[in-house]
DNA sequence: CTGTGAATGTTCGATATCGCACAGAGTGTT
DNA sequence: AACACTCTGTGCGATATCGAACATTCACAG
């Protein structure tokens, strides 16, 4: 894999949406990095040195509460960027950004990105629009956490993960999902068991396969669709679809 | 009250932080409006025609879930702006903005604001920074809703309302607070009763008085301080203090 | 094939909140 | 002073999830 992206092969939705001229300018400063499972890109409270345009896999944004466990507030995949808050003037990360899956990204040093943002209007607009839809995702999560049952939230989360990873088979343990959703693993076990009985997912030891995407959408709360539609409103109809959405799922 | 703000008397933190030259340019386009209790500034899904720089009282940003009740995701007071997402490129509001208290604001038509943002770098930077801290507030709320007990969340909310309104006596029923926090009124009644027994607040028929600010901070979860410190990091040490903070509370 | 560790299933008492109902207390109006 | 209405207190069965423990099943290494 080349260290710099090309406009033809880049998967990240923001980079691929750039006009050729801006893409060419920014591509030189982007360096491909492989993301290991469990790798932390940004730590809460610490400076954001690099910004990551996700190419594959997905990143969890986690709020760390002092008493104990982190809790996921948003997912970032190939539709987005980890560390985008530097564009708003933040220097340190308020959240933890962790790769849950293994994957890849193009990364750029924060000062270089800010330099481009000041002189590349399309990139700036795309990053601001992405900031907005990420904000909507977080806001919906706040309401969802307060009001929806775990079974619905689990279905929503699996849909979001599917969208962002682009593959129907996810390497995820129930233990990990429990931390993301802020509940006990045993509660996830029960909810996941129901989904499996209903035939919409299948899982065996850390591998979850989505068998029935529509069934999963029906099992999820409205929050999935609310976020997806905001993406579509700002990025167009196909912005949120995984690259391999057309491929058969099973 | 004059229809346009003056730099000497404006209370809104973003407007008052503008350099004189930019303030003068934007002041002409700002029109003072009184906000009635329960008035809706923006409706979910509808265009943001006007942006409001809050002068007094506070605005709730609410996510409306289809099944029923709205749920508050953030509070906006004189430190901020309602409708700031237009700066990120959004045209429609994803949330409901409602005035919970009665108050006042300076409002500006969205196209006029966007015109200024393009040519007033300080205003743009301030609005982007405010967008960031509001985002942090929403993110913290997402975690808080999932993990913290109502008694802590209630204390946090009262602190935030106090900061944003600038007065220790708030006209708020438990019924209203219950909707904001997404719980039953009877649950609020129990939590508020504990706080009153402990002597940190007092309330009678829709009036809540904060008697012991420090006691309330101790009763609140870390989420209050986490958001406040992010404000301080981006707006300076005093950005988040109510104008009347030095005045005795009781 | 077999053992080992990880992942998952299951149970159970405890708890916070729900959802609802009704009583009591305060405020403003006539 | 009496009334009406709003706001608040309280009780109670139902429920989702907690928190913890233990049993079981699967995948992989040797």
């Amino acid at each position: 894999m080349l260290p710099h992206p090309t406009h033809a092969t880049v998967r990240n939705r923001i980079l691929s949406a750039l006009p050729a001229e801006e893409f060419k300018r920014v591509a030189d400063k982007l360096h491909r990095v492989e993301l290991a499972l469990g790798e932390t890109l940004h730590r809460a409270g610490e400076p954001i040195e690099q910004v990551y345009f996700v190419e594959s896999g997905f990143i969890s944004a986690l709020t760390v509460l002092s008493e104990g466990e982190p809790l996921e507030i948003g997912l970032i995949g190939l539709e987005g960027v980890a560390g985008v808050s530097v564009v708003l003037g933040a220097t340190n990360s308020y959240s933890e950004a962790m790769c849950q899956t293994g994957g890849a990204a193009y990364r750029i040093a924060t000062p270089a990105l800010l330099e481009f943002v000041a002189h590349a209007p399309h990139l700036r607009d795309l990053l601001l629009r992405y900031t907005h839809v990420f904000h909507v995702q977080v806001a919906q999560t706040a309401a969802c956490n307060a009001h929806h049952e775990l079974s619905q939230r689990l279905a929503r989360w699996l849909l979001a993960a599917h969208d962002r990873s682009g593959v129907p088979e996810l390497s995820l343990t129930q233990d990990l999902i429990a931390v993301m959703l802020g509940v006990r693993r045993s509660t996830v076990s029960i909810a996941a068991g129901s989904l499996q009985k209903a035939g919409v997912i299948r899982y065996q030891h850390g591998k979850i396969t989505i068998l029935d995407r529509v069934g999963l959408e029906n099992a999820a709360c409205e929050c999935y669709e609310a976020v997806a539609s905001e993406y579509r409103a700002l990025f167009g109809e196909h912005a949120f679809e995984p690259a391999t959405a057309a491929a058969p799922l099973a």
Side-chain angles (χ1 to χ4, degrees), chain A:
Chain A
M1 185 65 76
L2 295 169
H4 306 299
T6 68
H7 213 178
T9 60
V10 71
R11 299 182 74 213
N12 182 272
R13 296 292 185 263
I14 291 176
L15 293 177
S16 67
L18 285 176
E21 185 269 332
E22 281 192 21
F23 181 86
K24 218 175 297 174
R25 276 198 285 153
V26 81
D28 276 352
K29 298 285 186 180
L30 291 163
H31 295 271
R32 187 178 178 88
V33 287
E34 302 301 314
L35 303 174
L37 195 151
E39 185 173 343
T40 300
L41 307 184
H42 303 122
R43 291 190 187 282
E46 295 189 9
I48 299 174
E49 316 264 15
Q50 306 272 347
V51 174
Y52 295 79
F53 291 81
V54 178
E55 279 285 296
S56 65
F58 55 87
I59 313 294
S60 284
L62 305 161
T63 288
V64 183
L65 298 175
S66 62
E67 307 115 39
E69 312 245 315
L71 182 81
E72 185 181 274
I73 53 158
L75 273 175
I76 304 162
L78 48 78
E79 89 293 351
V81 180
V84 75
S85 54
V86 298
V87 175
L88 301 183
T91 55
N92 291 31
S93 182
Y94 71 96
S95 66
E96 199 99 355
M98 184 190 293
C99 183
Q100 300 295 357
T101 54
Y106 288 108
R107 105 182 154 187
I108 183 171
T110 300
L113 179 69
L114 293 178
E115 176 68 19
F116 277 111
V117 163
H119 301 105
H122 289 94
L123 178 59
R124 190 188 62 214
D125 286 1
L126 284 165
L127 289 175
L128 290 182
R129 271 190 275 161
Y130 174 68
T131 299
H132 176 70
V133 291
F134 186 68
H135 174 76
V136 170
Q137 184 188 346
V138 175
Q140 197 75 37
T141 300
C144 191
N145 286 349
H147 273 318
H148 293 147
E149 293 183 2
L150 181 67
S151 58
Q152 296 182 298
R153 289 170 55 204
L154 174 62
R156 178 196 168 194
W157 194 86
L158 290 172
L159 289 169
H162 180 215
D163 285 345
R164 284 168 181 75
S165 70
V167 290
E169 184 168 302
L170 305 167
S171 287
L172 291 164
T173 64
Q174 296 185 2
D175 218 333
L176 187 64
I177 295 174
V179 172
M180 296 301 106
L181 297 178
V183 296
R184 303 291 113 194
R185 184 193 55 75
S186 58
T187 314
V188 171
S189 179
I190 293 165
S194 306
L195 289 176
Q196 183 163 240
K197 253 176 221 137
V200 299
I201 64 170
R202 182 164 43 91
Y203 56 94
Q204 328 88 27
H205 274 251
K207 293 226 184 301
I208 299 184
T209 308
I210 293 169
L211 300 174
D212 176 2
R213 168 94 193 181
V214 175
L216 200 54
E217 285 171 7
N218 291 334
C221 49
E222 65 190 284
C223 298
Y224 171 75
E225 178 53 28
V227 173
S229 78
E230 189 76 15
Y231 269 81
R232 289 194 298 265
L234 271 85
F235 284 94
E237 282 304 309
H238 302 292
F240 211 56
E241 289 173 15
T244 57
L249 294 185

